[in-house]
Amino acid sequence: MPLGNMNNAMPDAAGPAPTTLSKEAEILAALGKRLIVLVGMMGAGKSTIGRRLAARLNLPFVDADTEIEAAAGMTIPEIFELHGEPHFRDGEARVIARLLDAEPAVLATGGGSFMREETRRRIAEKAVSIWLKADPDIIMRRVRRRADRPLLQTADPAATVSRLLSEREPVYQRADLTIASRDIPHDKIVEECIEALKARLSPAAAGPPAIDTLSAAR
Ligand code: S3P
């Protein structure tokens, strides 16, 4: 007899054992139709962490910058150069709105997109957001490797990053969750995202009720 059937046949005075879902399954169930959106500065690791987080949750990974480039039929530096930043920002907001209306996924957004109020509102409605918070030196080390960020083509990119951070951090802070992105193995950051999502989304993870029922009954 297969083991499963044998277990079913066993008398169980205490009733069926409670089923325990994996952390991933709990998160997915609690997410429902919502997406997970990663926000934060260029170089914070949104795409790298996002791709791994998506794999862990068995969700598709979508990169807003890649989608914008596909929709425009040109690269981001080309959009900035030919049409300017305001045009890029409008397109970015439209593409993110469309992605938020699509299937649940892990969505990495471009570093400036969360600055638009309308985009923040849409993200709050349709997603759980995670700010990947990185220090300026880590950001600089990572962005130096590539020359495809038009905003950093300045005489003093470190000063630009520091100015952008002071403008943006108070806004990034409004994301639902904050995870420090640092130079540790990516899987550790992904694990921290999983734990934070679980604590935020799953009522079982919230622990016992805060009210002391005994003294409340007195
Ligand atoms: C930008 C960040 C970039 C890209 C564009 C503008 C920004 O995306 O959208 O160059 O304003 O911070 P990443 O954050 O993915 O680098």
Side-chain angles (χ1 to χ4, degrees), residues 5-215:
N5 289 346
M6 211 167 82
N7 283 344
N8 287 347
M10 299 249 284
D12 185 356
T19 41
T20 44
L21 289 176
S22 69
K23 284 185 259 188
E24 291 83 353
E26 267 186 54
I27 292 168
L28 287 173
L31 262 183
K33 292 188 182 312
R34 286 177 293 174
L35 291 84
I36 296 171
V37 169
L38 298 179
V39 306
M41 262 299 267
M42 301 171 257
K46 294 167 300 211
S47 302
T48 314
I49 300 299
R51 199 167 278 117
R52 284 174 166 78
L53 182 61
R56 183 77 191 266
L57 293 169
N58 212 7
L59 285 172
F61 170 73
V62 187
D63 189 295
D65 286 346
T66 309
E67 295 291 320
I68 293 161
E69 292 185 327
M74 60 180 102
T75 65
I76 290 176
E78 284 167 350
I79 305 173
F80 268 75
E81 191 172 329
L82 287 173
H83 303 290
E85 184 175 352
H87 178 89
F88 169 76
R89 295 295 174 202
D90 290 344
E92 175 178 55
R94 277 197 307 275
V95 166
I96 291 176
R98 165 172 63 76
L99 297 172
L100 288 167
D101 278 335
E103 291 301 298
V106 175
L107 170 64
T109 59
S113 61
F114 203 60
M115 299 304 287
R116 192 176 273 224
E117 204 258 325
E118 188 192 13
T119 297
R120 284 200 302 279
R121 187 182 46 73
R122 288 196 178 114
I123 291 175
E125 218 173 276
K126 308 256 169 85
V128 176
S129 52
I130 305 179
W131 171 25
L132 281 186
K133 181 175 192 229
D135 291 340
D137 52 328
I138 290 194
I139 292 173
M140 276 316 294
R141 224 178 305 138
R142 293 181 184 163
V143 298
R144 224 178 256 135
R145 294 180 208 144
R146 284 165 35 188
D148 57 356
R149 267 103 171 196
L151 291 184
L152 299 183
Q153 304 312 304
T154 61
D156 186 352
T160 309
V161 162
S162 141
R163 177 183 54 80
L164 287 173
L165 277 176
S166 60
E167 286 168 17
R168 292 178 176 185
E169 286 203 322
V171 179
Y172 290 151
Q173 199 168 288
R174 299 188 208 169
D176 297 317
L177 299 165
T178 300
I179 298 291
S181 175
R182 53 227 195 269
D183 280 337
I184 60 170
H186 293 135
D187 288 347
K188 286 222 165 93
I189 311 257
V190 170
E191 190 59 43
E192 289 178 18
C193 291
I194 293 278
E195 288 301 330
L197 284 164
K198 182 173 178 266
R200 167 97 189 181
L201 289 169
S202 147
I211 300 173
D212 175 349
T213 42
L214 266 182
S215 40

